[in-house]
């Protein structure tokens, strides 16, 4: 039995991943985005397609962890101060969007279908929600997460996630089913929500940060991965136990760690799991698409999907204009958030359990949500001229202390890196500092300097720290770890940045020959020259003579280094070295 179960899991895994790779490659090549590829792959593999993979519901349950991980990563980008700054968009724009879109779609369903008012409301309110799992990755991949457009879209999506509990309460209030004695009443869910948020805030501050500090001191990356996933899953599990939104719990946990020195390391470790599970989520959504329902009433399903998109786009555009948002950005917001969302499936199931709608209606409107999500890649292509004109690269200054858009990154904050970083700060240059020594991070915090934990030679971590937009990346790490093999991928990944490196000695410098580095400094070269000047002064030589010696030494050292680099032999150009019988002014 175990062997057959393992064989089934392996077969399903191979089919799902294989179909995902092929479909995403095709749809990416066509410029239609990965999400549509996942949906099509799921529809083809599922019970309504070729029936190669079954049990879509259980796979959807596992894949919903992708949404939880996504909200955790989004929370890591939003410290409480920035969230407070967005309060008008969250509780003003977000509330208006959910209420007006929910009312408009409920009215349309009531007038067009003949459903009862309660059933129309149970279907229309979920359709007001957009797809967080679809929109946020699009904004992140387009580099728009921190633009005014991205912030407003995120604010609306966040309020939609917050509104899940009230919407479930509304459906429960309309229920025709017998009351479940185990289900908590609506007011108690509200109390649970506040208590859970307070508890997660305290846990983040007094449990998780000390835990990450302890793990950072050990330097075990595997423990960081485990601790990061534990944080996400534990916060989601607490919210699930309280019958609340798991995604909201993960978001709060992430937000409480947004100011943590370990933020970038967490992002880099959790991101691969988010990517895989989110892809699996969309495949599972595609598998659940009831093609028989679509085939039985194709005009209704397609027409309602288009109606959802048109009504939401028009209402969101109107709300945005009422909030005095520029015309182009308002249009881009409307197109971006016009689809149905993944939480619609959850609320349709709630409505079915409350006996407000029949199972056939739940399947029908599930298909409508899926088709509306499939329109998003096309609408994004249509909206691109509008959201690209909003002001590319326009980021808020509040992002800079978090390392999102600092123009300089300093990797390594020991004796060497501290001097480099402080000289940049002297000219008010925002700097993101990364170091892998947890003790150094604590000491720096005592001196009022924010240092992030992590291996600054990792490409994924640098990208999350903002290296894709940095003007300078300065490697100040100890030892002989900066090799051409390490630096070459970084130079290719971040061509816009001037990369400077501290190297161990002339051997290390020779090994980096040929790389397009903006500058290199040998660890003790400049300090040794400085002490040489001091020694000559102590011997009574005049400042002019000392300056001449320094100038000549630097010139000879440069010629010798060039010869050594060409030949690969450290004995090259030995005649340029000063020695007892080759003094300045004597025979060189």
């Amino acid at each position: 039995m175990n062997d057959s179960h393992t064989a089934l899991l392996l077969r399903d895994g191979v089919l799902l991943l294989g179909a995902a790779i092929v479909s995403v490659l095709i749809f990416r090549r066509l410029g239609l985005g990965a999400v549509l590829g996942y949906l099509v792959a799921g529809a083809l593999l599922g019970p309504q397609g070729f029936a190669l993979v079954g049990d879509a519901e259980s796979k959807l349950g596992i894949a919903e962890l992708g949404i939880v991980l996504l909200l955790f990563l989004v929370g890591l980008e939003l410290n409480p101060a920035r969230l407070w700054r967005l309060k008008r968009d969250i509780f003003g724009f977000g509330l208006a969007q959910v209420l007006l879109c929910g009312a408009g779609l409920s009215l349309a369903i009531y007038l067009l279908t003949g459903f009862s008012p309660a059933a129309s409301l149970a279907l229309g309110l979920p359709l007001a929600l957009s797809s967080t799992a679809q929109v946020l990755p699009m904004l992140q991949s387009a580099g728009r997460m921190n633009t005014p457009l991205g912030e407003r879209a995120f604010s609306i999506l966040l309020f939609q996630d917050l509104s899940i509990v009230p919407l479930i309460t509304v459906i429960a209030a309309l229920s025709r089913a017998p009351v479940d004695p185990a289900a908590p009443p609506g007011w108690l869910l509200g109390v649970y929500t506040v208590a859970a948020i307070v508890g997660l805030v305290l846990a983040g501050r007094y449990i998780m940060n000390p835990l990450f500090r302890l793990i950072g001191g050990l330097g075990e990356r595997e423990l960081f991965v485990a601790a990061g996933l534990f944080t996400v899953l534990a916060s989601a599990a607490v919210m699930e136990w309280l019958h609340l939104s798991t995604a909201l719990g993960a978001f709060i946990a992430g937000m409480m760690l947004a100011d943590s020195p370990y933020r970038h390391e967490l992002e880099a470790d959790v991101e691969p799991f988010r990517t895989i599970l989110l892809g699996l989520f969309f495949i599972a959504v595609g598998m659940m698409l009831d093609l028989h329902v679509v085939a039985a009433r194709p005009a209704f399903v397609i027409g309602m999907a288009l109606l959802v998109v048109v009504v939401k786009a028009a209402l969101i555009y109107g709300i945005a204009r009422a909030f005095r948002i520029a015309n182009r950005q308002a249009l881009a917001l409307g197109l971006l958030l016009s689809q149905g969302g993944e939480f619609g499936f959850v609320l349709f199931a709630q409505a079915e359990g409350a006996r407000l709608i029949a199972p056939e209606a739940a399947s029908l409107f599930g298909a409508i949500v899926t088709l509306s999500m499939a329109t998003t890649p096309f609408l994004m292509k249509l909206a691109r001229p509008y959201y690209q004109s909003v002001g590319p690269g326009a980021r808020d200054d509040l992002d800079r202390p978090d390392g999102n858009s600092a123009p300089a990154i300093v990797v390594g904050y020991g004796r060497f890196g501290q001097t480099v970083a402080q000289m940049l700060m002297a000219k008010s240059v925002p700097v993101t500092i990364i170091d892998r020594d947890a003790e150094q991070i604590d000491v720096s915090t005592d001196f009022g300097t924010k240092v992030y934990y992590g291996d600054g030679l990792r490409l994924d971590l640098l990208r999350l720290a903002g290296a894709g937009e940095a003007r300078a990346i300065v490697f100040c790490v100890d030892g002989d770890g900066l090799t051409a093999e390490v630096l070459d991928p970084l130079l290719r990944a971040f061509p816009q940045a001037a990369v400077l490196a501290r190297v161990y000695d002339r051997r290390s410098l020779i090994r980096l020959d040929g790389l397009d580095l903006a500058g290199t400094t040998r660890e003790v070269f400049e300090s040794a020259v400085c002490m040489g000047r001091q020694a000559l002064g102590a011997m009574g030589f005049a400042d002019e003579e000392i300056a001449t010696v320094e100038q000549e030494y630097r010139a000879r050292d440069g010629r010798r280094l060039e010869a050594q680099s060409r030949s690969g032999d450290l004995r090259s150009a030995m005649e340029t070295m000063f020695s007892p019988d080759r003094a300045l002014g004597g025979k060189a």
Side-chain angles (χ1 to χ4, degrees):
M1 182 70 177
N2 262 345
D3 289 344
S4 63
H5 184 63
T6 302
L8 183 63
L9 283 176
L10 288 172
R11 184 184 70 87
D12 286 356
V14 169
L15 288 172
L16 289 170
L17 291 175
I21 292 169
V22 172
S23 58
V24 169
L25 281 174
I26 293 172
F27 279 81
R28 283 280 195 192
R29 182 60 62 92
L30 296 174
L32 298 177
V35 171
L36 190 55
Y38 287 129
L39 291 172
V40 170
L44 292 175
L45 289 175
Q48 306 297 323
F50 295 112
L52 297 175
V53 178
D55 199 11
E57 289 81 3
S58 68
K59 290 178 176 58
L60 185 64
I62 296 171
E64 281 176 354
L65 288 174
I67 301 172
V68 171
L69 292 171
L70 173 65
L71 266 294
F72 176 73
L73 293 174
V74 169
L76 284 174
E77 295 185 6
L78 284 173
N79 58 30
R82 188 175 169 205
L83 193 66
W84 179 252
R85 182 172 56 84
L86 297 176
K87 63 183 181 298
R88 179 173 176 269
D89 285 332
I90 296 171
F91 298 104
F93 200 150
L95 176 62
Q97 184 273 324
V98 171
L99 290 179
L100 292 179
C101 289
L105 290 167
S106 298
L107 181 61
I109 292 169
Y110 176 71
L111 294 175
L112 294 173
T113 64
F115 281 117
S116 69
S120 299
L121 201 61
L123 292 168
L125 289 175
L127 291 174
L129 307 182
S130 306
S131 177
T132 302
Q134 193 171 17
V135 174
L136 290 187
M138 284 184 172
L139 289 172
Q140 288 173 330
S141 63
R144 297 276 154 185
M145 194 63 205
N146 295 306
T147 62
L149 172 71
E151 287 188 337
R152 287 200 170 95
F154 168 76
S155 299
I156 296 168
L157 291 167
L158 177 59
F159 185 84
Q160 290 178 0
D161 291 336
L162 291 171
S163 69
I164 295 297
V165 172
L167 291 180
I168 291 174
T169 304
V170 169
I171 290 173
L174 297 172
S175 175
R176 297 171 182 161
V179 176
D180 181 3
W187 66 267
L188 189 56
L189 284 178
V191 173
Y192 284 168
T193 302
V194 174
I197 290 174
V198 172
L200 289 173
V201 169
L202 295 176
R205 182 166 185 176
Y206 295 108
I207 298 176
M208 298 316 302
N209 265 319
L211 175 63
F212 289 128
R213 188 180 302 118
L214 177 63
I215 294 172
L218 296 175
E220 294 287 343
R221 190 188 169 196
E222 293 81 3
L223 274 178
F224 243 105
V225 176
L229 291 175
F230 169 79
T231 303
V232 180
L233 296 178
S235 59
V238 168
M239 300 300 266
E240 175 70 22
W241 179 61
L242 295 173
H243 302 278
L244 302 174
S245 168
T246 54
L248 175 61
F251 170 76
I252 298 296
M255 192 181 69
M256 288 306 102
L257 294 169
D259 284 327
S260 167
Y262 307 99
R263 168 192 151 188
H264 293 306
E265 182 75 18
L266 283 169
E267 283 184 280
D269 291 340
V270 170
E271 176 66 24
F273 297 95
R274 191 277 301 175
T275 304
I276 293 170
L277 286 169
L278 211 52
L280 180 59
F281 170 80
F282 286 114
I283 290 176
V285 169
M287 289 172 64
M288 293 181 68
L289 178 62
D290 194 337
L291 297 177
H292 293 152
V293 168
V294 178
R297 303 180 64 182
F300 177 81
V301 172
I302 295 171
M304 281 299 299
L306 292 176
L307 180 70
V308 168
V309 169
V310 170
V311 168
K312 288 183 71 174
L315 288 174
I316 293 171
Y317 171 81
I319 298 167
R321 294 297 288 152
F323 273 73
R324 298 183 179 178
I325 295 172
N327 185 60
R328 284 177 173 271
Q329 190 180 136
L331 184 57
L333 269 176
L335 293 173
L336 184 67
L337 300 172
S338 60
Q339 75 289 119
E342 54 277 351
F343 289 115
F345 299 103
V346 177
L347 293 170
F348 292 152
Q350 293 280 334
E352 182 183 337
R355 298 186 184 176
L356 295 173
I357 58 173
E360 294 76 16
S363 297
L364 198 65
F365 278 83
I368 289 166
V369 168
T370 304
L371 286 183
S372 73
M373 291 169 73
T375 66
T376 303
F378 300 99
L379 294 176
M380 287 304 298
K381 289 172 73 71
L382 183 64
R384 190 168 293 133
Y386 300 103
Y387 70 72
Q388 285 186 339
S389 65
V390 169
R395 294 175 179 264
D396 195 288
D397 287 340
L398 287 176
D399 290 337
R400 288 185 170 178
D402 295 334
N404 286 344
S405 62
I409 296 175
V410 172
V411 178
Y413 199 61
R415 295 165 297 167
F416 195 100
Q418 288 171 26
T419 299
V420 174
Q422 288 179 40
M423 291 180 72
L424 288 166
M425 294 174 192
K427 294 300 294 181
S428 300
V429 176
V431 184
T432 294
I433 305 169
I434 302 171
D435 198 285
R436 61 187 308 173
D437 185 346
E439 186 178 347
Q440 180 64 45
I441 290 170
D442 290 339
V443 171
S444 301
T445 302
D446 292 339
F447 282 88
T449 302
K450 183 66 172 286
V451 180
Y452 291 99
Y453 176 86
D455 181 359
L457 301 182
R458 282 172 55 189
L459 182 63
D460 55 347
L461 189 141
L462 280 175
R463 182 172 284 115
L464 289 167
E469 299 161 5
R471 288 163 51 195
I473 306 173
V474 189
F475 292 98
C476 304
V477 293
D478 292 329
D480 202 13
L482 281 180
T483 64
E485 290 75 19
V486 170
L487 287 177
D488 188 54
L490 305 179
L491 290 166
R492 295 176 185 273
F494 313 117
Q496 87 294 339
V499 177
L500 300 96
R502 166 192 180 181
V503 296
Y504 183 68
D505 58 13
R506 59 197 312 117
R507 289 185 180 87
S508 304
L509 192 58
I510 290 168
R511 286 198 292 269
L512 299 182
D513 190 46
L515 294 182
D516 186 22
L517 294 169
T520 55
T521 300
R522 278 176 277 166
E523 283 188 0
V524 297
F525 181 76
E526 294 298 331
S527 55
V529 168
C530 180
M531 183 161 283
R533 288 181 61 96
Q534 293 174 354
L536 287 170
M539 297 300 296
F541 289 97
D543 289 345
E544 294 80 6
E545 293 179 278
I546 296 173
T548 301
V549 170
E550 180 185 355
Q551 183 179 358
E552 181 64 21
Y553 175 76
R554 288 181 182 275
R556 292 186 180 208
D557 185 77
R559 291 198 300 272
R560 187 159 69 98
L561 190 60
E562 186 179 347
Q564 290 170 332
S565 181
R566 280 198 309 268
S567 67
D569 183 4
L570 288 177
R571 301 178 68 84
S572 297
M574 285 181 59
E575 68 280 0
T576 63
M577 297 175 64
F578 290 118
S579 65
D581 57 345
R582 284 199 294 267
L584 186 61
K587 198 173 177 182

